[in-house]
Each structure stands twice: as C-alpha cells, then as structure tokens.
Amino acid sequence: MGVLRVPAEVRAILLDIEGTTTPIAFVQETLFPYVKDNVKEYLRAHWEEEECQQDVGLLRKQAQEDSSLDGAVPIPLENGSGEKLEQVIQAVVANVHWQMSVDRKTTALKQLQGHMWRAAYATGQVKGEIFKDVVPAIQKWRQAGMKVYIYSSGSIEAQKLLFGYSTEGDILELFDGHFDTKIGSKVDSESYRRIAASIGYATNNILFLTDVPREASAAEEADSHVAVVIRPGNAGLTDDEKSYYSVISSFTELFLPSST
C-alpha cells in the first residue's frame, strides 16, 4: 500500500459502500439488526399503506421464485380476517429473517430494508457511518474534475439515506449518481458495462473501489480499472490477491494525474 497513481484515462470513480466508504460493522451491527428487530412492528404499523403492500408483493413473488431453496419461507395471500393477516405478517417476518440469515441480496429484501431505514434515519435512530478520509478525498477528486458514483447492493434509496443522514452530515451533493443491483449483480462484468453506458463513459474511463475481490475481478473483466480497499473489519485478502490487485487502505492514497 501507499500511493496509487490513477491512470490518466480515468474520468469517474465508482465506489462500493460496505467496507469501502463505510465500516462493515455499521451495516452488520446497526442496520441489519434494526431490520430484524423491528420488521414485525413496522409491518403492523404500515400494512395498509400502498408502499408496504408493494414491498410485501415483491417479497411474495421472490418467495415463489425461491420455493426450491432449502429453508425458503412462502408468503400466503391475505384473506381479510384478522387472524389470517397476522399469519401473513408472521410469514413475511420469517421470510425476511431467512433471507438475511443466508445473506440474500434480492431487490425485494433491499426495498423493504430501505423503507425501514428511511424511517429510522428520519427519526434520528440511525446515522450513516462514514470513514473520516472519505469526504475530504471526494471533495479533492471533484475539484480535480472527477465524477464520483456509488454502486452498492443496497438499494439506491438506502444509499441516499446513509449519505443524507451521515455522521458527516448530508453529503449527497458529493455524488453524481447511484447504482444498485437493478443494473445487475456486482460480480457480473456486464453490470459495469451498463454503468459505463449510463454515465456516458467507456469502461476504461472508470476506476472502481471495492473491498471484494470478486467484484473487482468482474469490473476488470469489463476493462475498468480497479483497486481493492482494506479497512478495519474487512475480510482479509489472500497473498495472491494482494499481489495481483492495487490495494489501498485510505482514499487519501489515490493520486490523481491532475493534482500534479
């Protein structure tokens, strides 16, 4: 680790969140437990709202697609009686708990989580945790003319909540755009081609920062530049991964050509 010189052709920096801008512990020890602990109460409070019904509908459809998976929990249709409603809510809770226990990253789960986190952020129960080097580094990149985007498995809404209600204040203005798994899986090289097309750059105009080598490999396969980020609490890298990838432990280690 040390200084990583950003190739001159790079025009945009694409950032992962968990383990890159934000400690994994925040997601694992704050955000996820909040959902597990509060999902039943949330569903009961918001059940009649259209947004909540859309969330449940997506989860039910996902449950049907998952029916062959071990431990999958089906979600029955509501028939109008109070007793049946409670059974449906229980099934949704069990489905959410199962998906989270096996680390599913389905759009249906992410959407419900995002709506629950919105309520938690808005009431001050949760603040998005950001590593201290992130904001000054991004400000420097932007001053140098670099575009900055987010690509996370968390929904775009959840991303905006984290950065809008962060420990560093509302920092949404630092980002030119957001992408989630609706554009594709982070371990699929095609996703990075779609992102490049969406922002109007070639894939080799993009530098992707992530803590996950499989994601770095997918971006590299699409001809994007990559660097793997090592942060406290992140999974360790193998010796081969350390020698193969450019590795940084802080955003301050990126050296932009225009900053000479």
Side-chain angles (χ1 to χ4, degrees), residues 5 255-260:
R5 293 184 178 275
F255 186 83
L256 274 55
S258 55
S259 60
T260 53

Side-chain angles (χ1 to χ4, degrees), residues 116-230:
M116 289 186 63
W117 291 329
R118 179 181 62 198
Y121 281 115
T123 56
Q125 292 175 270
V126 172
K127 280 188 179 295
E129 192 172 338
I130 310 293
F131 286 113
K132 289 295 184 182
D133 58 282
V134 170
V135 170
I138 295 177
Q139 288 171 335
K140 185 176 180 181
W141 300 342
R142 293 181 64 86
Q143 288 167 4
M146 197 69 69
K147 300 287 188 181
V148 182
Y149 297 88
I150 294 292
Y151 181 28
S152 172
S153 59
S155 69
I156 288 175
E157 181 171 20
Q159 297 172 27
K160 290 183 175 180
L161 289 168
L162 191 154
F163 294 118
Y165 295 91
S166 86
T167 50
E168 305 297 312
D170 182 351
I171 59 171
L172 282 171
E173 67 179 13
L174 296 180
F175 306 108
D176 294 283
H178 298 256
F179 298 94
D180 59 18
T181 52
K182 287 182 179 178
I183 203 155
S185 166
K186 294 175 74 184
V187 296
D188 181 357
S189 61
E190 193 58 36
S191 303
Y192 300 90
R193 296 186 182 97
R194 293 189 193 108
I195 289 172
S198 174
I199 64 178
Y201 287 124
T203 51
N204 65 353
N205 296 142
I206 296 172
L207 169 64
F208 178 46
L209 304 184
T210 178
D211 64 310
V212 181
R214 283 184 67 211
E215 296 174 1
S217 176
E220 190 178 56
E221 188 179 329
D223 201 29
S224 290
H225 298 278
V226 299
V228 174
V229 183
I230 294 179

Side-chain angles (χ1 to χ4, degrees), residues 1 9-10 25 31 50 69 72 82 92 105-106 115 142 154 157 169 171 187 192 206 216 221 241 244:
M1 290 179 284
E9 65 188 0
V10 169
L31 288 184
E50 182 180 355
L69 299 181
V92 175
K105 297 186 185 296
T106 63
H115 292 155
R142 293 181 64 86
E157 181 171 20
I171 59 171
V187 296
Y192 300 90
I206 296 172
E221 188 179 329
E241 288 166 345
Y244 180 79

